[in-house]
Amino acid sequence: MIRIWAMIERDLRRFRRSPALMVMSMVMPLIQLVVLGYAFGGKIKNIEIGVVDHDHGVPALRLKEMFQAIAANARTFVTVPYDDEATALRDLREGRINGLVTIPPEFSRKVLAGAAPRLGLIEDNTDQFASSALEGAFQPLLAAYGQEPSGVRLTANVSLAVVEVYPYVPYIQYLLPGTIVLAVFVSAMIGGGIIFIDDKARGLHEGYLVTPITKFELILGFNLAGVAKAVLSGFILVTIGSVIAGIPDPLNVFRLARMLVLVVCTALALISMMFLLVVRVSDPLLPRALFGVLNTLLFFPSGAVYPIKAFPSWMRVITAVDPFTYAVAGFKSLVLKNTGLWAIAPDLAFLLGFTVIAMGAATAMFKRTL
Amino acid sequence: MDDIEVDNLTKRFGDFCAVDRVSFNVAHGEVFGLLGPNGAGKSTLIRMLTTLVPPTGGVARVNGHDVTREADAVRRSIGVIAQAMTSDLDLSAEENLRIFAKLYSIPRAQYEKSIGELLEAVDLVPWKDKPLKMYSGGMRRRLEIARGLVHQPKIFFLDEPTTGLDPVSRVAVWELLSRLRRERDLTILVTTHYMDEADKLCDRIAIVDHGKLAALDTPSRLKAAVPGKANATLDDVFLHYTGGDLRDALQNPSGYQMPARPGR
């Protein structure tokens, strides 16, 4: 046991001397949280919509007034009137406007006759987010238009009363669980993988290998030292990130304690995975090259930035074995739903099981000789 | 029983034979020098004796323990100074020594006393709290020597301990080793490229070339055995046993020609 502590002490003393590297491992996820959180989290506003009115009737005028109401209130879109369709289409293609609504010549007559009038919406579908927002704004607007007393309703509309279980979750809060896991991962990458290989390349391991330390003690020492640093990094992210993301009661001691348990399990899983990947590597450049690949391969399929249910089946295979997935799911539960540890027991069990398997494999693969 | 017993020790890396059936013994208290050109197999030999590289064939016993089957017992009885400096540059001298004392499971009271003595022995007490990155090459090497002795080993292996050091630091390291050997009753196996050092300090010298043991004797006998040289130095001995390739190249008319010096 004393030898394992010696390895941990060595790493923590080094960390205390030059913490800049580990601080950097927290800065990147924090920047990502703020930038991505606000870049993707806002509601889309002020989409410019051209309107060509070929009808000029009272129902068309009423429709345009409703457009103005949207522009003045929700501001999802603003309208730009056009006299001719050709000019409007050219502006749409050249990016001056994002969509074009055409009110056809027979619109008013069909409205008054109750004959299913149609509006044309030509949208710039190169931007799926703007298109979706536009369609999302138009559907309720036209539904409301259809409920005006002038029309005769033939069928009863079924309305849906939505009850939200949790308070509104802005995207930055949705992103926080993934960011915490990312901070632990970056720390595992630097504090585990990169330092391990750099020490090996500098010959430090040769010094340890001539002592009576066993390979299990050596691997456990390296792992636990990495875990200590990753836990520190992850827990700082939990605290600062919760404040930045505006989580209600961010410094709740009980929730922070539950999160600490999950940070520890996440750090164990990611550090042991990192050691398994680098245990036979000698080239100091390899983990640096591996970093980007692993980041993409593990972070995005985990559900950290987009719901897993939208993924194709091949990606769900990665999702199923990716420790990020279970860590992110656990943090979502603790951060966004404020659940207890029992609710995330399957996630914790996966992370601990993954740790045992990865650490066992890394120990088996570790060479006690040069 | 000798402290080091090497019998037909062999190491192959694929088709390449780095150490080829080498045999020798080192008696207790002896300073045994291992000389040879770069790539001769000295480091591989020392790495096999220190359990870092498993032998392909033959037997080696260190302090009575087989290096393959009783590696742990070997590690407890030896101190090793590798060719590359293996101490942690981010830690202080004292921290480095303490970490290694713990790796050998030495009780705290014992290592606190021993570290103080060693730091004094290697003359690093004033700098004991400074990180190694601030040390000169000679200071680092002295710390490595202290680190190799932190668990009070019986046998000390040093792979080119003075390479890269200035003459003053080299002399300091060798004086230190001589003193430590006397004070701690050490057996020392050392590799070096400096013939003068080997001549003065080694009781016996083995010359290794192309993985084979080319010669083994005391420095005076090795020098006396060089043909055609009345006052041969250890450099002559070295060239006699290992300079074959160089001599062949100079004597080969179709081979490489030494360029004429300007003005001659």
Side-chain angles (χ1 to χ4, degrees), chain B residues 9-65:
Chain B
L9 200 61
T10 303
K11 181 65 191 179
R12 289 184 171 278
F13 295 102
D15 292 338
F16 175 68
C17 191
V19 176
D20 190 5
R21 289 167 291 157
V22 168
S23 301
F24 62 85
N25 282 13
V26 180
H28 178 69
E30 197 174 6
V31 179
F32 189 87
L34 212 50
L35 308 185
N38 292 327
K42 304 184 301 293
S43 291
T44 307
L45 188 52
I46 221 168
R47 282 175 169 179
M48 283 193 283
L49 297 178
T50 56
T51 76
L52 284 170
V53 171
T56 316
V59 177
R61 296 177 76 80
V62 174
N63 197 31
H65 305 291

Side-chain angles (χ1 to χ4, degrees), chain A residues 2-3 6-7 9-10 13-14 16-17 202-204 206-213 368-370, chain B residues 47 50-52 54 72 75-76 80 82 85-92 95 99-100 102-105:
Chain A
I2 189 172
R3 297 185 194 130
M7 296 308 296
E9 183 188 343
R10 173 201 81 120
R13 282 180 183 275
R14 281 163 47 150
R16 203 185 60 188
R17 291 271 151 73
R202 283 161 54 194
L204 263 63
E206 194 173 333
Y208 306 133
L209 294 179
V210 293
T211 72
I213 192 166
R368 183 65 179 72
T369 51
L370 291 178
Chain B
R47 282 175 169 179
T50 56
T51 76
L52 284 170
D72 209 42
R75 289 175 194 134
R76 286 176 196 283
V80 184
M85 301 217 194
T86 57
S87 291
D88 206 317
L89 299 183
D90 295 315
L91 301 184
S92 70
E95 286 169 332
I99 297 291
F100 270 80
K102 288 178 182 174
L103 291 179
Y104 285 99
S105 308

Side-chain angles (χ1 to χ4, degrees), chain A residues 51-259:
Chain A
V51 178
V52 181
D53 184 1
H54 295 293
D55 182 78
H56 301 293
V58 173
L61 189 62
R62 195 155 53 81
L63 190 66
K64 286 193 281 184
E65 284 171 354
M66 291 179 85
F67 291 169
Q68 298 297 334
I70 293 260
N73 295 295
R75 290 187 290 144
T76 308
F77 60 81
V78 291
T79 54
V80 181
Y82 280 90
D83 291 332
D84 75 297
E85 202 163 326
T87 309
L89 277 171
R90 193 189 63 227
D91 282 1
L92 177 66
R93 286 188 185 283
E94 291 175 359
R96 291 190 192 91
I97 55 175
N98 307 103
L100 174 62
V101 173
T102 309
I103 305 173
E106 298 294 309
F107 180 77
S108 294
R109 192 182 64 75
K110 286 187 177 176
V111 168
L112 295 172
R118 289 171 73 86
L119 280 181
L121 173 62
I122 305 165
E123 58 186 17
D124 175 2
N125 63 329
T126 56
D127 187 340
Q128 292 286 340
F129 294 103
S131 300
S132 299
L134 206 53
E135 287 168 27
F138 266 95
Q139 294 300 347
L141 183 143
L142 293 179
Y145 184 83
Q147 284 174 350
E148 289 292 317
S150 59
V152 178
R153 302 198 61 81
L154 296 178
T155 55
N157 263 1
V158 179
S159 63
L160 185 67
V162 177
V163 177
E164 292 182 332
V165 180
Y166 303 103
Y168 171 68
V169 176
Y171 188 70
I172 191 169
Q173 289 180 11
Y174 180 82
L175 206 57
L176 179 62
T179 307
I180 296 166
V181 181
L182 190 65
V184 176
F185 170 73
V186 176
S187 184
M189 191 74 206
I190 296 172
I194 290 177
I195 287 183
F196 177 80
I197 294 175
D198 281 358
D199 282 357
K200 194 195 270 189
R202 283 161 54 194
L204 263 63
H205 288 192
E206 194 173 333
Y208 306 133
L209 294 179
V210 293
T211 72
I213 192 166
T214 65
K215 68 177 184 175
F216 180 70
E217 287 172 329
L218 206 49
I219 283 283
L220 198 61
F222 284 136
N223 271 276
L224 292 180
V227 165
K229 290 180 282 187
V231 165
L232 188 66
S233 172
F235 195 66
I236 290 173
L237 240 293
V238 161
T239 317
I240 298 176
S242 296
V243 173
I244 289 177
I247 300 291
D249 193 10
L251 303 178
N252 181 304
V253 176
F254 297 106
R255 183 167 53 189
L256 287 178
R258 290 193 290 271
M259 301 241 265

Side-chain angles (χ1 to χ4, degrees), chain B residues 29-33 161-162 170-179 181-182 188 190 192 194-205 219 234:
Chain B
E30 197 174 6
V31 179
F32 189 87
T162 51
R170 274 171 51 200
V171 169
V173 165
W174 277 103
E175 281 178 355
L176 174 66
L177 285 173
S178 299
R179 184 159 45 84
R181 174 209 177 188
R182 282 194 310 275
I188 295 178
V190 61
T192 180
Y194 299 107
M195 298 300 134
D196 54 332
E197 292 176 352
D199 198 1
K200 280 182 205 155
L201 295 152
C202 294
D203 299 314
R204 282 192 306 150
I205 287 170
L234 212 51

Side-chain angles (χ1 to χ4, degrees), chain B residues 5 8 13 23 32 44-45 57 59 102 114 129 140 144 149 158 166 176 181 191 201 220 233-234 239 252 264:
Chain B
E5 297 167 322
N8 278 311
F13 295 102
S23 301
F32 189 87
T44 307
L45 188 52
V59 177
K102 288 178 182 174
S114 148
D129 297 322
R140 279 186 206 170
E144 298 254 321
L149 298 172
L158 300 105
D166 63 73
L176 174 66
R181 174 209 177 188
T191 72
L201 295 152
S220 55
T233 63
L234 212 51
L239 281 171
N252 182 1
R264 291 197 172 186

